[in-house]
Amino acid sequence: MTNTTGTPPAVSFTGAVKTYGALRAVDGVDLRIATGETVALLGRNGAGKSTAISLLLGLNEPDDGTVELFGGPPERAVRAGRVGAMLQEARAVPRVTVRELVSFVAGRYPDPLPVARALELAGIADLAGRRVDRLSGGQTQRVRFAVALAGNPSLLVLDEPTAALDVEARHAFWDSMRTYAHRGHTVLFSTHYLEEADAYADRIVVLDRGRVVADGTGEQLRKAAGGTLVSIDLGGRGTEELGLLPGVRSVEVRGGRALLRTDDSDATVVALAGLGAIRGLEVTPASLDEAFLALTAHQTEAV
């Protein structure tokens, strides 16, 4: 995203590289996130998301390139209390209540949220007196969210935030996150639920093999991957000629049907009719799931 205000972006990756031996977990990432944006980070397992987040939080340093938060090194922003994080690796603290834990964390920040407000936003006000190590997985996840909110951070980083939450709790979580974001805060979240990225992010960034392979709105990603899907029954027909039809970007066979990803569905359907190949014809907009699969289809090695 282009910054026109003269202020530095909340998040800036410039040619960032992180290697582990011969493995390039982050491979030349360039990324800007403006203050106030909500950005979803998508990728297959091992695509480099967790490594990118660790660089962003200053938990690791890039081997090449730079990573900055608010125009400076990540550790400076973290020390200043400008960053809150909800990570998958966190463990429950034994023998303390939810209120005690959130109060302790809030006390480490210069301008924290009121504890009651953090608990309310996370949807756990009724759990304030419960011991953290005696909560369910979903309840513990919401405690992690309250801890991330406790310092009233300018940048909120959420790594798979709705894992272990049921459908109702997921909706409540995103309502709270959107309330927080609307106050002008920046949010970066990773998720495997593509519908969440589509519904709640201003932009979606797709990582594959440690590289940014797409960056845009859900609609832009669908168009980039082939905006429409045209499918037909093959009925024994080969697929060679289908890939040469106007508008067609790729052809996939699923259970006796050919799935054509196309930029121009009208031209594709007319050409199919000319071939007499319209049995079982269906034309549908590409889903974000389909776009994601198309954008990462050629990557087979885990990162």
Side-chain angles (χ1 to χ4, degrees), residues 65-82:
T66 61
V67 179
E68 293 185 339
L69 301 182
F70 306 104
E75 53 269 25
R76 187 171 74 190
V78 170
R79 285 198 304 268
R82 303 190 70 182

Side-chain angles (χ1 to χ4, degrees), residues 53-259:
I53 288 174
S54 73
L55 294 176
L56 184 153
L57 295 176
L59 301 175
N60 280 305
E61 295 184 358
D63 299 315
D64 198 5
T66 61
V67 179
E68 293 185 339
L69 301 182
F70 306 104
E75 53 269 25
R76 187 171 74 190
V78 170
R79 285 198 304 268
R82 303 190 70 182
V83 183
M86 177 179 172
L87 305 179
Q88 296 184 66
E89 304 299 326
R91 296 182 180 180
V93 179
R95 296 184 296 278
V96 300
T97 67
V98 171
R99 183 185 293 107
E100 288 169 341
L101 176 61
V102 176
S103 297
F104 173 80
V105 174
R108 312 275 79 75
Y109 286 83
D111 184 28
L113 275 181
V115 171
R117 179 58 175 156
L119 296 176
E120 178 188 1
L121 276 172
I124 54 171
D126 59 331
L127 301 178
R130 297 271 301 276
R131 277 179 49 168
V132 175
D133 55 355
R134 293 182 177 176
L135 300 177
S136 69
Q139 290 169 333
T140 300
Q141 192 76 339
R142 284 183 282 167
V143 171
R144 291 173 183 162
F145 184 42
V147 167
L149 292 172
N152 194 25
S154 302
L155 170 65
L156 190 59
V157 180
L158 309 170
D159 190 7
E160 300 291 343
T162 57
L165 298 184
D166 59 30
V167 173
E168 183 178 358
R170 282 171 59 193
H171 283 296
F173 170 85
W174 288 116
D175 285 344
S176 297
M177 191 281 293
R178 188 154 44 189
T179 298
Y180 194 75
H182 283 174
R183 295 171 56 195
H185 298 91
T186 308
V187 179
L188 173 67
F189 68 91
S190 68
T191 181
H192 280 102
Y193 298 111
L194 274 67
E195 69 276 12
E196 291 183 344
D198 206 12
Y200 300 108
D202 301 318
R203 287 164 54 205
I204 299 171
V205 175
V206 181
L207 281 183
D208 206 24
R209 279 189 173 178
R211 299 179 180 179
V212 174
V213 296
D215 183 351
T217 65
E219 183 61 27
Q220 288 171 334
L221 264 59
R222 282 187 281 269
K223 288 181 178 178
T228 306
L229 301 176
V230 176
S231 59
I232 58 170
D233 291 333
L234 279 171
R237 176 186 295 272
T239 61
E240 295 81 4
E241 60 187 347
L242 299 180
L244 302 176
L245 298 181
V248 173
R249 299 182 60 171
S250 66
V251 179
E252 182 180 350
V253 176
R254 296 183 187 174
R257 288 181 62 80
L259 183 67

Side-chain angles (χ1 to χ4, degrees), residues 17-64:
V17 174
K18 184 63 181 178
T19 61
Y20 298 99
L23 186 66
R24 294 175 74 86
V26 170
D27 190 7
V29 168
D30 290 304
L31 176 65
R32 304 288 183 275
I33 300 175
T35 299
E37 272 195 295
T38 297
V39 175
L41 187 63
L42 301 184
R44 297 174 184 264
N45 287 334
K49 302 188 303 297
S50 294
T51 301
I53 288 174
S54 73
L55 294 176
L56 184 153
L57 295 176
L59 301 175
N60 280 305
E61 295 184 358
D63 299 315
D64 198 5

